[in-house]
Each structure stands twice: as structure tokens, then as C-alpha cells.
Amino acid sequence: MVQVCNAKNLMPKDGQGTASAYAIVDFDGQRRRTNTKSRDLNPQWDETLEFIVHDKDSMASETLEVNLYNDKKTGKRSTFLGKVKLSGTTFVKSGSETVAYYPLEKRSVFSQIKGELGLKVWYVDDPPEAENTGEQKAESEPVAEEKPPGNIEGETKEDEAEKNKQDENKPKDEPAAEKPKEEVPEETASPKQEVSNPSIVQTEKPKQGNERHHEVLKCADLNVSNGELRSLSSDRSRSAYDLVDPMPFLYVRVVKTKRANLETGSSIYANLLIGTRSVKTKSEKESNDWDQVFAFDKEGLNSTSLEVSVWSEEVKEGEEKRESCLGTVSFDLQEVPRRVPPDSPLAPQWYTLESETTPGNDVMLAVWIGSQADEAFQEAWLSDSGGLIPETRAKVYLSPKLWYLRLTVIQTQDLKLGSESEAKVRTPELHVKAQLGAQVFKTGRTSPGSANPTWNEDLVLVAAEPFQPFLVLIVEDVSNSKTVGHAKVHVATIERRTDNQTEVKSRWFNLYSEDESSSYAGRIHVRVCLEGGYHVIDETAHVTSDVRASAKQLTKPPIGLLEVGIRGATNLLPVKTIDGTHGTTDAFVVAKYGPKWVRTRTIMDQFNPRWNEQYTWDVYDPCTVLTIGVFDNGRYKPGEDGKPNKDCRIGKVRVRLSTLETNRVYANSYSLVVLLPGGAKRMGEIEIAVRFSCSSWLSLIQAYASPILPRMHYVRPFGPAQQDILRQTAMRIVTARLARSEPALGQEVVQFMLDSDTHMWGMRRSKANWFRVVRCLSRAATILCWVDGIRTWVHPPMTLLVHMLLAATVLCPYLVLPTVFLCAFLILLLRFRFRQRVPENMDLRMSYVDMVSLDELDEEFDGFPTTRPAEVVKMRYDRVRALAGRAQTLLGDVAAQGERLEALFSWRDPRATGIFTVVCLMMSLLFYAVPFRGLVLVAGFYYLRHPRFRDDMPSIPANFFRRLPSFSDQIM
């Protein structure tokens, strides 16, 4: 369903300063047209067009194209007014649709297009009725017969005649079905259908002809067009695990057993024995079906044979449990077949159990050797992860979808503030409090001069899907700390908008008292909406991984694919001890990019774990950061108090996608360093492989020219303090939601990955940022030192060369800018050979972790508010005061320089300003009489004069400027 609402600020195209616009909408080979709005640059249609979705699964890969034209019946000619293309991934379900305004795109570089088009697009699951389908077909037939505008902008009659000649010279034996396609101009032709990328294991070779072919990736869904898909399929004819090493696993699938005389009340189970390792299936009483898969790491096997035995256990009252073996079957691991996907799964077979006491029993099972790419790997019992423990399994998590909820409190009416005697004794002070879950925001206080106090204040909250049921509005009287009344707003009924052009309607809500009677206490006037045009920031700005808007309608197609292979780690240090005897580490990896979090399986009790797991993400912006953290699993074992232990951090790695070359594999090892209260500690190394595949070079280059955040962040921005509060709120919501998953992604893991403590004060971070500023200013200082060396004739040949360059610049000023940009081009070309070829990790020296004291680290790990003793807090406070005193002096000096400059024009010092006035008059006459080139040349030669013609004392302008007055003497 496509509702063409309106258009704004269209380009006049009828030769009379207006336009008569109509829209043609194409989707999946179907075409619809709206009515024509005569002589209106801001037409309002509000027409709903219906399209049939032939394949629901491929709807996300389709493209909706809307073209605007000026009607040739009301103007001189039919002219193109602009177009809008929407990917199927932006379509929302019925009930979530909102009006979104899209800027009109050009058809070519020379097109004169402006304005924007308002659309509302949604889909309905129920199939349309046959009658409606027939009506739509009947409506669409005249549109297909009508010849769309054929003249494109800038096309002359000679061009049309030449086209007609070319059509006449074409062979006449072409099929008749192709002739109508020749008459359809390029701008109105149906958009090319895009190809979806389903999650299948392996790709097949493309067939001949125009048939659709699918490129298959295991862990990603990338919606690209035909051309983009070909660019990826050319270098993606590889396995879904091509960034990691294959790990051989011995798979044993135990399905069921068959026994004729099974005693009533006895349970049966199977036992797998490989060397010294023994594993049991679940016990079944009523049925003999297990259907369990066991995966053994082949490198860790200490035997060459597998023995599967079936046991029967019987428990009677007052007697001990009796177990009896029903038989065994053995396999030689040297003869076990190998299976490599996409081969079909190995079919289980019946094997006869060998037994001297109970012959005639069979067991159905399958044994094969595969890798981590096997379909059974994800749900199998894993030998290197402790079996079927939920906390040690590999999982994928998704952050909740976040929205900004904007509440505008306008006014209240008919408030019951108590009796008249109470109103005479005190002056009520009212404020409105908005509560959504654990969030509470308040307006400012107001003293009602009448019974209708007014605020007109905006309160912004963070809402997460699925939404909290109610937004609670509370009117409180601060003077007596009592609640006047409250109202509840159902969040599901709140209007959604994608930009600031859609005006949200205000609403009245009745206020009710909080006593048992719940009587009427007045009413409140508010305007509330869910802002879909913002991106809810839940990460630190410098490590953000997602910049998409909350509204699905504003999401653009992905520009590439990010593939990450988590290979393994080496030389990990022990994090905990087992029974107080020896140290161990149960390591797992968490990777985050965008809203998708992935967690590898936990490798138990190994200092050199090998995960070899590969994951993929869609990339929507190249200037984003991938974060990978390594942790020790402490949650799979409960603590002494019965609560799960916390996961211990081992280290973190960040990779910025903009530093990666496209379609290249980066396989490197990175040091894992964790900052502890005792200092920085190197915990080992992690080996990862990263590949950023670009689906369209044009989209990738356009991303660098587009703004980082959605449009609403610039049209109606938040203040720095408000943005920081909202970011911390969003972090808490994401942390709480992921902690409620099963298995839970711990709060300590999420906070470490999101850098939730970067806003806290720390002496180490302050020093690191200060030295970053010094490092940037040192380059400018280097240039000044080089200029001073030329000025003082340290290298006479260089100074003479600069004299000649100055003369050439003055005589030929038009060569200045070309020379500067040519030199910059040559310098960049020379530095290309010395570029960074390996993605950089966090720099320990730049982070200032090797030169920090223990007290400064303890201050950084201290919570807020502080929990340290008063003596320690006093010492740290005095240290901060000393640093703040230096910064205070520096700010005063900078302010004094600006005040001296203002004093030249304010006549605070009459003599200094008088001297400056006379100098200005003389300089005006001098510049009027002498050519500008001559003055520049003389000034340059005077500045570069030989040291024997210089004086050691400061220059006259410097002395004059330093004597000017400032306001420093007026500060108390």
C-alpha cells in the first residue's frame, strides 16, 4: 500500500512559474498513477495505491520507484520533476506506517530538480479481495496505454528525428512483445528487480539467461541489486568459513534403540566411550528415542576407537539402582566417513549390539567426521565447551530498537490545589513529572498566577521496543510535597513521525488523584510523539557502530558486508583457580557491530583456545567501529551465595572500517591488555580475520559526502548535556535488556563493550587527552620553527630559495593555489607507499597507561559517588584544584589577548587608540599610492632580512600590543 501524500517546493516546469504534477509508481512490474494537480508547486494528493506482492519472501529485495512529471496537457511539454527510490527493507507492517518526506533525486547530473515528496508505505499480510484486484488492474491498463513523457530535458527535435530514423532502420523480425518496451522512456520504465540473498549454506553457479540467481552466505542477509550482486558473487565463490581454519570434529548422532522385551518401569540410556572420556545420553522410560548429537574435538581425542553401549537401569523401592548393559558396538575412527557441507546429512543406520547375555538388541546412530560448518554443530553436545551448558554456547543477541519519546507539556486546567485557606498561607509551586519505566524527567517549577499554569517545555525520554505499557504524567506541588493528580498515556497509541515537518496534534488527558477515590483533579494539555528521525545514541561517539534512524522508512540499503573470523587466542594468563590448586581460563569472545552482538562458545580450561567461528554484518556506513572483547566465563558455575559469578574481562580490540581496504582479508594478532587497579596487564593475544566487502563503489563514495547522523540531529539538535543524559539512559536500557536474555549477556560485559565509563573523571584520561592536544599543536610548532630558521638564516641556501619563491608568488599570484594543491597531491602520493597496512589497535603509550601512578588508577576505578576515605578524597581534591588553577591562569591569559584587541577600538587607552588611528590613516594612504604586490614583496624581504640587520629586543608592534589594557585588573 503506497499513499502519495503531497510534494513540496517543486521546480516550475510549465514555462509559467508553476507545475501540474502527477506521480507514477512502479513496483514489481506493476504501475499506478495519481491524478494531476494543476498549477501547484505544493500539490496534495492523499491517494492510496495498491500493489500485489507476488512473493512475500523476496519483497525486501524489491524496489519501489515513484516518478513525478509535469502533465503535458496543462503545460508546454511533459517534464521530469524528480524521483524517489525506496528499498523493500524500509517497508513496515500495517499499523506502523508514518508519513516520511524524501528529497527528490535527479535523473542525470544536468537535471534541475528540487523539492521533496511525502509518502506513506506499508504492507498488509491479508491478501486483497478479487474485486479490488480487478479494479486496480482496470485502473492500471489506461496508464500503460498512455504514452509517458518522451522528451527528456535538453532534448531537441533533431534528436527526436534521429531516434525515429534509428527505429526505422531496426530489423523488422523482432518479436512484437518487445516493441512496447522500446516506446517506454528510461525515466518511466519499471525499476530493475533486485535479488535477495537468503541464508543458505553454499552458492551454486549462475544459470545461463536472465534467470535469477542467489548468492549464498551463511550468517548474513544482504539486499543488493543485480549489478551489485554480481560484483560480490565474483569474489564470494568461497565457503562460509573461509576466514577461519576448519576444525575436525567427530560427530555421533544417537537416534534410538530397539528392544523387544523391555521391563516395565526401567529407563534406558546410551553411553559413548572414547579413551578415557565417557558421555551419557538422556534417560528415557516410556520411549527409546534420544535423537542427540555429540561433537568431539578430534585433536583432543586420545583413542582411535569409539564404543557405544546401551544400558538399562531399574530402580525399585527399598533397593539400590541396578544397571545392566544391553550391548555395545565399536567403530574404528580411521574408517569413519568424512562429510563436507553442502553434502546432505548422513543417514543413521541400525547397528546390532554385541552382548553375551541379552542378544538381539539394535541401536540407530550415525558417525561421521565434519567441521564447525556442519549444521549439527550449533545444537550438538560439544566436548570443548563442557557439553550442553547454556552459558557456554555460541549465541547471537540483538539490542532493543530504541526511540526518542518527546513530551511537550503545554499547560494544565482546573487543578484542585486544596482549600482556599491553604492557598492563602502558601504559594503553590507546580511541576510536571514524566515517568517511563525507571526514567523520570521533570519540568521547571511554575507559580500559577491563575488556575491554568503554563510550561511549554520539552521532555525527551528513551523508549525501547517492546514498549512500556504506559507513560505516567504526574503533577506535583513542591511547596507541600503532594501530588495534585496523575494521568496515564498508552505508549502504543502515541503517534510516530520521521521529521519535524509533520505537526503532532496536542491532546488533553484527565488528571486523577492518587487517593482511594481516584477523583477528578483537573486535566493536562500535552503533545507527545515518538521521534523516528533520530538515531538513539547508545555508544560513545568515537566508537559508534550504527548511525541509522529509528524509523525503518529512513533506512538506506547496505553498502557492503563485514565478515569477521574469530580464529583463536594464544598465551592467555590464568584468571581463576580450580579448587585452589592450579589456574585456568574459560575464554569466550563477544563481538559487537550495530545492534547485533555475537558470542562465541566458551573453550573450557585452555590457555590457547581455538574458536574458528565466523560472523557477518551488513554495513550501512564505512566510518564505524567494530568492537571485539575477550572474557573469562564465570556464569556457568553458581557462586557461594547461589548467584552467578561475573565474567572477567581479558582485553578488547577495536577495528575502524574506514581504515580497511575493500575486498581484502586482514588476518592479524592483537595484544590483549586490560587496565586493572594495579596497572595495565598484558593478558595474551587474539587472532582475528576481517574482510570488508563493498557492494557498490558509488554508494561507498557517497557515504563520505553524506552527514554522519540523520537529518533530525541537525534540524532540531539536542544540547550536549541532554545528549549525554540520553546516551547514559540508552546504555542502561540496552544493558538491562541483554542481561534478561537466556543465557544472559552480563552487565559487566555490555558496559565494557560500550565504554559506559568514559564520561567519568580520571587523571590518566585527562593526561592522555592533553598530550593528544600537544601532539597536534607540535606540528604547527614545527612549521613555526622551520619559518623561524629561514627568517634567521640558519640555512642560507634555503632562505635564498624562499626569497625567490616569494618573488615568484608576488609576480605570478595566479599560480599560488595550483602549486599548493599540486604539492599536496605529490606529498599524498609519496606517503601512499608508507601507509598503515595493518588495522591499528589501542595504543598503550597514547593511552598513558605505562606512566600512571597507582593512586590515579584507583581514582579512575572509584565509583560515583566516591567510596574512598576522607583523607584520600581530600588529597585528590587538592590535586584537581592545582590542575584547575593552571587551566584557570591559561584561560585568563587567552581572554586578556582578546580584550587587548578590543581595546584598540574602544578608546579605553586614548593615547594608544589615537596612535592606532593615525597609523590606520597613514597605511590607507600608503596602500592607495603603492601597488599591493610591491608592498607584499617589500614586507616579505623585510621579514626575511639578515640577522645583522636585526635587533635582539621585541619589535615595535609587539611592544605596542602588550601595553594595551585588559580587564584582568578588574577581576576580584
Side-chain angles (χ1 to χ4, degrees), residues 410-439:
I410 303 175
Q411 66 173 356
T412 55
Q413 289 183 359
D414 306 333
L415 295 181
K416 297 182 180 180
L417 302 178
S419 61
E420 297 181 359
S421 59
E422 294 180 359
K424 294 179 180 179
V425 175
R426 60 178 178 84
T427 302
E429 293 184 4
L430 304 177
H431 69 235
V432 179
K433 182 169 66 176
Q435 182 175 358
L436 181 65
Q439 304 175 63

mmCIF file of all heavy atoms in Angstrom, residues 410-439:
data_model
loop_
_atom_site.group_PDB
_atom_site.id
_atom_site.type_symbol
_atom_site.label_atom_id
_atom_site.label_comp_id
_atom_site.label_asym_id
_atom_site.label_seq_id
_atom_site.Cartn_x
_atom_site.Cartn_y
_atom_site.Cartn_z
ATOM 1 N N ILE A 410 2.287 21.487 27.838
ATOM 2 C CA ILE A 410 1.796 22.814 27.467
ATOM 3 C C ILE A 410 1.200 23.517 28.684
ATOM 4 O O ILE A 410 1.711 24.542 29.134
ATOM 5 C CB ILE A 410 0.767 22.698 26.320
ATOM 6 C CG1 ILE A 410 1.405 21.987 25.113
ATOM 7 C CG2 ILE A 410 0.263 24.078 25.923
ATOM 8 C CD1 ILE A 410 0.440 21.710 23.979
ATOM 9 N N GLN A 411 0.144 22.980 29.229
ATOM 10 C CA GLN A 411 -0.496 23.635 30.368
ATOM 11 C C GLN A 411 -1.429 22.662 31.074
ATOM 12 O O GLN A 411 -1.662 21.539 30.593
ATOM 13 C CB GLN A 411 -1.289 24.871 29.914
ATOM 14 C CG GLN A 411 -2.486 24.526 29.043
ATOM 15 C CD GLN A 411 -3.358 25.728 28.740
ATOM 16 O OE1 GLN A 411 -3.127 26.820 29.242
ATOM 17 N NE2 GLN A 411 -4.363 25.520 27.900
ATOM 18 N N THR A 412 -1.931 23.105 32.211
ATOM 19 C CA THR A 412 -2.940 22.355 32.952
ATOM 20 C C THR A 412 -4.134 23.266 33.224
ATOM 21 O O THR A 412 -4.003 24.503 33.244
ATOM 22 C CB THR A 412 -2.382 21.826 34.288
ATOM 23 O OG1 THR A 412 -1.852 22.927 35.034
ATOM 24 C CG2 THR A 412 -1.300 20.795 34.052
ATOM 25 N N GLN A 413 -5.278 22.676 33.463
ATOM 26 C CA GLN A 413 -6.506 23.431 33.743
ATOM 27 C C GLN A 413 -7.289 22.731 34.853
ATOM 28 O O GLN A 413 -7.172 21.518 35.047
ATOM 29 C CB GLN A 413 -7.386 23.525 32.486
ATOM 30 C CG GLN A 413 -6.835 24.437 31.409
ATOM 31 C CD GLN A 413 -7.786 24.555 30.229
ATOM 32 O OE1 GLN A 413 -8.844 23.939 30.214
ATOM 33 N NE2 GLN A 413 -7.412 25.371 29.244
ATOM 34 N N ASP A 414 -8.052 23.535 35.565
ATOM 35 C CA ASP A 414 -8.996 23.053 36.582
ATOM 36 C C ASP A 414 -8.312 22.238 37.668
ATOM 37 O O ASP A 414 -8.834 21.224 38.142
ATOM 38 C CB ASP A 414 -10.113 22.219 35.940
ATOM 39 C CG ASP A 414 -10.818 22.961 34.829
ATOM 40 O OD1 ASP A 414 -10.839 24.203 34.883
ATOM 41 O OD2 ASP A 414 -11.329 22.300 33.910
ATOM 42 N N LEU A 415 -7.109 22.676 38.054
ATOM 43 C CA LEU A 415 -6.397 21.926 39.087
ATOM 44 C C LEU A 415 -7.017 22.170 40.455
ATOM 45 O O LEU A 415 -7.402 23.297 40.788
ATOM 46 C CB LEU A 415 -4.915 22.329 39.110
ATOM 47 C CG LEU A 415 -4.082 21.984 37.871
ATOM 48 C CD1 LEU A 415 -2.651 22.422 38.071
ATOM 49 C CD2 LEU A 415 -4.148 20.496 37.579
ATOM 50 N N LYS A 416 -7.093 21.137 41.261
ATOM 51 C CA LYS A 416 -7.590 21.242 42.629
ATOM 52 C C LYS A 416 -6.383 21.260 43.554
ATOM 53 O O LYS A 416 -5.794 20.220 43.860
ATOM 54 C CB LYS A 416 -8.512 20.070 42.944
ATOM 55 C CG LYS A 416 -9.771 20.046 42.074
ATOM 56 C CD LYS A 416 -10.683 18.888 42.441
ATOM 57 C CE LYS A 416 -11.941 18.889 41.561
ATOM 58 N NZ LYS A 416 -12.837 17.759 41.908
ATOM 59 N N LEU A 417 -6.002 22.483 43.984
ATOM 60 C CA LEU A 417 -4.787 22.674 44.768
ATOM 61 C C LEU A 417 -5.056 22.713 46.255
ATOM 62 O O LEU A 417 -4.212 23.172 47.020
ATOM 63 C CB LEU A 417 -4.098 23.969 44.329
ATOM 64 C CG LEU A 417 -3.714 24.047 42.848
ATOM 65 C CD1 LEU A 417 -3.097 25.390 42.529
ATOM 66 C CD2 LEU A 417 -2.767 22.924 42.486
ATOM 67 N N GLY A 418 -6.179 22.285 46.709
ATOM 68 C CA GLY A 418 -6.500 22.297 48.128
ATOM 69 C C GLY A 418 -7.530 23.359 48.447
ATOM 70 O O GLY A 418 -8.098 24.038 47.579
ATOM 71 N N SER A 419 -7.769 23.571 49.727
ATOM 72 C CA SER A 419 -8.766 24.541 50.168
ATOM 73 C C SER A 419 -8.245 25.966 50.007
ATOM 74 O O SER A 419 -7.063 26.205 49.812
ATOM 75 C CB SER A 419 -9.141 24.274 51.629
ATOM 76 O OG SER A 419 -7.986 24.402 52.458
ATOM 77 N N GLU A 420 -9.154 26.944 50.101
ATOM 78 C CA GLU A 420 -8.771 28.350 49.965
ATOM 79 C C GLU A 420 -7.884 28.810 51.114
ATOM 80 O O GLU A 420 -7.001 29.653 50.941
ATOM 81 C CB GLU A 420 -10.026 29.215 49.891
ATOM 82 C CG GLU A 420 -10.901 28.924 48.686
ATOM 83 C CD GLU A 420 -12.120 29.835 48.648
ATOM 84 O OE1 GLU A 420 -12.243 30.661 49.595
ATOM 85 O OE2 GLU A 420 -12.905 29.745 47.692
ATOM 86 N N SER A 421 -8.078 28.273 52.313
ATOM 87 C CA SER A 421 -7.243 28.672 53.451
ATOM 88 C C SER A 421 -5.799 28.246 53.242
ATOM 89 O O SER A 421 -4.866 28.979 53.548
ATOM 90 C CB SER A 421 -7.799 28.052 54.735
ATOM 91 O OG SER A 421 -7.831 26.621 54.630
ATOM 92 N N GLU A 422 -5.586 27.055 52.673
ATOM 93 C CA GLU A 422 -4.232 26.611 52.396
ATOM 94 C C GLU A 422 -3.592 27.461 51.314
ATOM 95 O O GLU A 422 -2.396 27.758 51.362
ATOM 96 C CB GLU A 422 -4.241 25.138 51.971
ATOM 97 C CG GLU A 422 -4.663 24.180 53.071
ATOM 98 C CD GLU A 422 -4.658 22.750 52.593
ATOM 99 O OE1 GLU A 422 -4.346 22.535 51.402
ATOM 100 O OE2 GLU A 422 -4.958 21.844 53.384
ATOM 101 N N ALA A 423 -4.362 27.887 50.315
ATOM 102 C CA ALA A 423 -3.811 28.706 49.235
ATOM 103 C C ALA A 423 -3.377 30.073 49.743
ATOM 104 O O ALA A 423 -2.439 30.675 49.208
ATOM 105 C CB ALA A 423 -4.836 28.856 48.110
ATOM 106 N N LYS A 424 -4.049 30.601 50.795
ATOM 107 C CA LYS A 424 -3.641 31.896 51.331
ATOM 108 C C LYS A 424 -2.347 31.792 52.137
ATOM 109 O O LYS A 424 -1.544 32.712 52.158
ATOM 110 C CB LYS A 424 -4.758 32.458 52.208
ATOM 111 C CG LYS A 424 -6.023 32.811 51.431
ATOM 112 C CD LYS A 424 -7.098 33.346 52.365
ATOM 113 C CE LYS A 424 -8.371 33.709 51.607
ATOM 114 N NZ LYS A 424 -9.429 34.214 52.498
ATOM 115 N N VAL A 425 -2.140 30.659 52.815
ATOM 116 C CA VAL A 425 -0.947 30.502 53.652
ATOM 117 C C VAL A 425 0.303 30.312 52.802
ATOM 118 O O VAL A 425 1.367 30.870 53.087
ATOM 119 C CB VAL A 425 -1.135 29.311 54.614
ATOM 120 C CG1 VAL A 425 0.141 29.038 55.411
ATOM 121 C CG2 VAL A 425 -2.294 29.593 55.550
ATOM 122 N N ARG A 426 0.228 29.562 51.735
ATOM 123 C CA ARG A 426 1.406 29.251 50.909
ATOM 124 C C ARG A 426 1.098 29.519 49.445
ATOM 125 O O ARG A 426 -0.065 29.562 49.026
ATOM 126 C CB ARG A 426 1.797 27.790 51.081
ATOM 127 C CG ARG A 426 0.699 26.814 50.688
ATOM 128 C CD ARG A 426 1.118 25.370 50.827
ATOM 129 N NE ARG A 426 0.011 24.479 50.475
ATOM 130 C CZ ARG A 426 -0.288 24.121 49.237
ATOM 131 N NH1 ARG A 426 0.436 24.599 48.227
ATOM 132 N NH2 ARG A 426 -1.308 23.325 48.988
ATOM 133 N N THR A 427 2.179 29.696 48.691
ATOM 134 C CA THR A 427 2.082 29.864 47.238
ATOM 135 C C THR A 427 2.472 28.546 46.578
ATOM 136 O O THR A 427 3.627 28.105 46.720
ATOM 137 C CB THR A 427 3.002 30.984 46.745
ATOM 138 O OG1 THR A 427 2.657 32.196 47.406
ATOM 139 C CG2 THR A 427 2.894 31.141 45.243
ATOM 140 N N PRO A 428 1.572 27.882 45.908
ATOM 141 C CA PRO A 428 1.922 26.568 45.321
ATOM 142 C C PRO A 428 2.953 26.719 44.198
ATOM 143 O O PRO A 428 2.911 27.664 43.419
ATOM 144 C CB PRO A 428 0.577 26.054 44.798
ATOM 145 C CG PRO A 428 -0.252 27.276 44.589
ATOM 146 C CD PRO A 428 0.175 28.257 45.633
ATOM 147 N N GLU A 429 3.885 25.776 44.133
ATOM 148 C CA GLU A 429 4.864 25.666 43.059
ATOM 149 C C GLU A 429 4.682 24.307 42.403
ATOM 150 O O GLU A 429 4.840 23.273 43.057
ATOM 151 C CB GLU A 429 6.292 25.817 43.591
ATOM 152 C CG GLU A 429 6.606 27.204 44.129
ATOM 153 C CD GLU A 429 8.055 27.327 44.542
ATOM 154 O OE1 GLU A 429 8.810 26.345 44.322
ATOM 155 O OE2 GLU A 429 8.442 28.374 45.063
ATOM 156 N N LEU A 430 4.338 24.330 41.139
ATOM 157 C CA LEU A 430 3.984 23.107 40.432
ATOM 158 C C LEU A 430 5.058 22.721 39.421
ATOM 159 O O LEU A 430 5.707 23.586 38.820
ATOM 160 C CB LEU A 430 2.648 23.276 39.707
ATOM 161 C CG LEU A 430 1.442 23.694 40.549
ATOM 162 C CD1 LEU A 430 0.225 23.882 39.657
ATOM 163 C CD2 LEU A 430 1.155 22.663 41.630
ATOM 164 N N HIS A 431 5.232 21.431 39.243
ATOM 165 C CA HIS A 431 5.994 20.906 38.117
ATOM 166 C C HIS A 431 5.358 19.596 37.676
ATOM 167 O O HIS A 431 4.640 18.941 38.442
ATOM 168 C CB HIS A 431 7.483 20.721 38.460
ATOM 169 C CG HIS A 431 7.762 19.620 39.438
ATOM 170 N ND1 HIS A 431 8.464 19.815 40.596
ATOM 171 C CD2 HIS A 431 7.433 18.302 39.445
ATOM 172 C CE1 HIS A 431 8.565 18.679 41.255
ATOM 173 N NE2 HIS A 431 7.942 17.750 40.579
ATOM 174 N N VAL A 432 5.655 19.234 36.440
ATOM 175 C CA VAL A 432 5.123 18.008 35.849
ATOM 176 C C VAL A 432 6.251 16.994 35.745
ATOM 177 O O VAL A 432 7.339 17.312 35.259
ATOM 178 C CB VAL A 432 4.502 18.271 34.465
ATOM 179 C CG1 VAL A 432 3.981 16.975 33.851
ATOM 180 C CG2 VAL A 432 3.379 19.286 34.574
ATOM 181 N N LYS A 433 5.980 15.790 36.191
ATOM 182 C CA LYS A 433 6.964 14.714 36.157
ATOM 183 C C LYS A 433 6.480 13.640 35.201
ATOM 184 O O LYS A 433 5.336 13.180 35.289
ATOM 185 C CB LYS A 433 7.165 14.147 37.560
ATOM 186 C CG LYS A 433 8.214 13.055 37.642
ATOM 187 C CD LYS A 433 8.561 12.720 39.087
ATOM 188 C CE LYS A 433 7.377 12.111 39.797
ATOM 189 N NZ LYS A 433 7.726 11.690 41.177
ATOM 190 N N ALA A 434 7.367 13.249 34.256
ATOM 191 C CA ALA A 434 7.062 12.185 33.300
ATOM 192 C C ALA A 434 7.857 10.947 33.674
ATOM 193 O O ALA A 434 9.081 11.028 33.867
ATOM 194 C CB ALA A 434 7.394 12.618 31.876
ATOM 195 N N GLN A 435 7.180 9.812 33.749
ATOM 196 C CA GLN A 435 7.829 8.572 34.150
ATOM 197 C C GLN A 435 7.526 7.491 33.127
ATOM 198 O O GLN A 435 6.374 7.211 32.812
ATOM 199 C CB GLN A 435 7.343 8.137 35.531
ATOM 200 C CG GLN A 435 8.005 6.864 36.043
ATOM 201 C CD GLN A 435 7.589 6.518 37.456
ATOM 202 O OE1 GLN A 435 6.821 7.260 38.067
ATOM 203 N NE2 GLN A 435 8.076 5.412 37.973
ATOM 204 N N LEU A 436 8.601 6.883 32.593
ATOM 205 C CA LEU A 436 8.501 5.768 31.658
ATOM 206 C C LEU A 436 9.438 4.681 32.158
ATOM 207 O O LEU A 436 10.654 4.786 31.998
ATOM 208 C CB LEU A 436 8.872 6.202 30.243
ATOM 209 C CG LEU A 436 8.774 5.125 29.162
ATOM 210 C CD1 LEU A 436 7.329 4.689 28.969
ATOM 211 C CD2 LEU A 436 9.356 5.620 27.840
ATOM 212 N N GLY A 437 8.876 3.664 32.763
ATOM 213 C CA GLY A 437 9.713 2.639 33.362
ATOM 214 C C GLY A 437 10.498 3.214 34.529
ATOM 215 O O GLY A 437 9.947 3.767 35.481
ATOM 216 N N ALA A 438 11.837 3.096 34.451
ATOM 217 C CA ALA A 438 12.695 3.632 35.500
ATOM 218 C C ALA A 438 13.136 5.059 35.226
ATOM 219 O O ALA A 438 13.849 5.659 36.037
ATOM 220 C CB ALA A 438 13.927 2.741 35.670
ATOM 221 N N GLN A 439 12.737 5.642 34.092
ATOM 222 C CA GLN A 439 13.131 7.002 33.740
ATOM 223 C C GLN A 439 12.153 8.007 34.349
ATOM 224 O O GLN A 439 10.942 7.824 34.252
ATOM 225 C CB GLN A 439 13.168 7.186 32.226
ATOM 226 C CG GLN A 439 14.049 6.210 31.486
ATOM 227 C CD GLN A 439 13.933 6.393 29.994
ATOM 228 O OE1 GLN A 439 14.263 7.440 29.432
ATOM 229 N NE2 GLN A 439 13.460 5.360 29.318
#
